[in-house]
Amino acid sequence: VNEMPSIQGKIVEYYTRRAVPSAVVIVNDRSTVTDQAGRFSMTVPLGVVTIKVTHRQFYDYITSLNITASIAYDIGIITLQSKVRAL
């Protein structure tokens, strides 16, 4: 059985460290949405992938990752900067 590599992580707000639910995580042509705890996981292809995180209340986050083995990669915590500054 050929295991697909996968990534998992958590999306939080930069200043408050609060989880960001309903953020869209896009990897190449695949996408998923974070849960209430800001967590996501998805299968990804081997090779260099582009990871983009979008949410209408936050600025986009984009990074690249080189997927070299068919394992689960925990990419940890990704922080998003809010478009609206709390006063």
Side-chain angles (χ1 to χ4, degrees):
V1 178
N2 259 354
E3 285 279 319
M4 287 287 291
S6 65
I7 60 170
Q8 63 184 31
K10 182 175 181 177
I11 313 298
V12 301
E13 199 276 323
Y14 181 79
Y15 293 104
T16 64
R17 291 294 198 232
R18 278 198 292 247
V20 179
S22 305
V24 179
V25 182
I26 303 164
V27 177
N28 295 9
D29 59 347
R30 305 156 198 244
S31 66
T32 190
V33 177
T34 58
D35 65 14
Q36 284 302 109
R39 298 191 176 280
F40 70 92
S41 66
M42 63 194 301
T43 58
V44 293
L46 285 168
V48 177
V49 297
T50 299
I51 302 166
K52 180 177 181 180
V53 182
T54 67
H55 188 290
R56 60 187 175 82
Q57 295 175 342
F58 297 90
Y59 292 106
D60 289 354
Y61 174 94
I62 301 176
T63 190
S64 294
L65 194 62
N66 188 8
I67 305 295
T68 57
S70 292
I71 60 174
Y73 290 85
D74 187 342
I75 62 174
I77 292 176
I78 291 173
T79 56
L80 296 185
Q81 297 257 11
S82 178
K83 290 182 181 176
V84 179
R85 214 45 174 299
L87 297 176

